[in-house]
Amino acid sequence: MVTVAGRAAGPRMWHPPRRGYGVVLMLIVTTYVLALLADRAWLVAVVLFVQTGTVWQTLRVSQARPGLRIASGAVFAFALIAGVAGVFADNEALSGVTFLAASVLYLVAPFSIVRDIGFHRGVDQQTMFGALAAYLLIGMAFGFLYACLGALQPGPLFGDNGDPTLPQALFFSFVTMTTVGYGDLVPAGNPAQSIAVLEALLGQLFLVTAVAKVVENWRPRGWHRDGRAEPDAAGEPDADAPAEPAG
């Protein structure tokens, strides 16, 4: 079958690996470190600024769909406005809204990453970086959500331990997502308890699906899953690979 351009129509092509997930991973780590130091409103605004850059880079590298980019742009603007307003107004409700915007930003990006790396032909460094970045983004998204609940709900989020600081919220999030469960911080009621259950389920589901993808597609360079030599870029089998036995 020939297309209008005169080229033969072939099967759906795998995406080549994106370049840039290493930068995304570095930005996520930077955001996490800044969040640990964010004990003042202006530092929270800095965290939001870096976070916006992180999500923008993620959507760019993963080639997110236009609709997702437009929706994220609206959240970007809202988050930055809320962050800057929080510098000049010490208000719990405003802080809660700021953390909510941060949570939404970090929940948007993993979907785009998973969609992108799902079409990688094999598993390489970029695929590993992308999967790790998506996992960290989910954990941080829930951490910001717990901080939001601590600021907005009337009672203390963790009962006798009070409302969490941002570092405590992030710590509780990753402990929950990995199902470690130290037990030093426990939500006193809903909706935090239900959100914690949801995070634990999502964390395990991500590991099952993402790790399965990595394991399924990993193989030594130059080999197919059936043991035949994998063609190189010119379409010829790898010269270093053992020849297939004559049948």
Side-chain angles (χ1 to χ4, degrees):
M1 182 176 180
V2 180
T3 63
V4 177
R7 297 180 180 177
R12 185 175 184 178
M13 298 297 292
W14 291 96
H15 290 172
R18 308 293 180 206
R19 301 299 173 189
Y21 282 123
V23 176
V24 171
L25 198 56
M26 290 174 56
L27 287 171
I28 294 172
V29 173
T30 300
T31 306
Y32 185 87
V33 172
L34 288 174
L36 297 180
L37 304 174
D39 56 351
R40 299 184 181 182
W42 69 269
L43 282 173
V44 174
V46 172
V47 170
L48 279 174
F49 181 79
V50 178
Q51 187 181 34
T52 301
T54 302
V55 177
W56 177 86
Q57 171 70 4
T58 302
L59 297 180
R60 185 189 69 82
V61 172
S62 62
Q63 293 192 347
R65 294 180 177 179
L68 184 59
R69 295 188 185 189
I70 293 173
S72 300
V75 180
F76 287 162
F78 178 78
L80 292 176
I81 291 173
V84 172
V87 175
F88 302 99
D90 186 10
N91 185 282
E92 287 291 327
L94 186 59
S95 297
V97 171
T98 302
F99 289 133
L100 178 61
S103 176
V104 172
L105 281 176
Y106 266 11
L107 277 177
V108 167
F111 292 101
S112 184
I113 294 177
V114 171
R115 175 180 173 272
D116 178 49
I117 65 177
F119 289 104
H120 285 190
R121 182 174 181 178
V123 174
D124 62 357
Q125 186 182 63
Q126 290 298 309
T127 308
M128 297 293 293
F129 283 166
L132 180 57
Y135 190 69
L136 294 177
L137 285 169
I138 294 172
M140 292 189 68
F142 277 94
F144 284 114
L145 184 56
Y146 296 129
C148 168
L149 291 176
L152 294 181
Q153 73 176 26
L157 184 70
F158 292 133
D160 293 338
N161 289 321
D163 289 322
T165 62
L166 186 53
Q168 287 177 325
L170 291 171
F171 167 78
F172 174 74
S173 176
F174 282 103
V175 166
T176 300
M177 187 170 65
T178 56
T179 64
V180 174
Y182 290 121
D184 53 343
L185 296 174
V186 180
N190 278 312
Q193 289 178 343
S194 297
I195 292 174
V197 171
L198 175 62
E199 181 182 12
L201 292 175
L202 283 178
Q204 296 307 300
L205 180 62
F206 182 88
L207 288 179
V208 170
T209 55
V211 172
K213 155 72 178 177
V214 172
V215 172
E216 177 189 0
N217 287 277
W218 181 87
R219 61 188 182 276
R221 185 177 180 180
W223 285 90
H224 283 299
R225 291 188 182 85
D226 58 5
R228 292 177 301 166
E230 182 177 8
D232 57 17
E236 297 296 332
D238 189 348
D240 295 332
E244 182 179 359

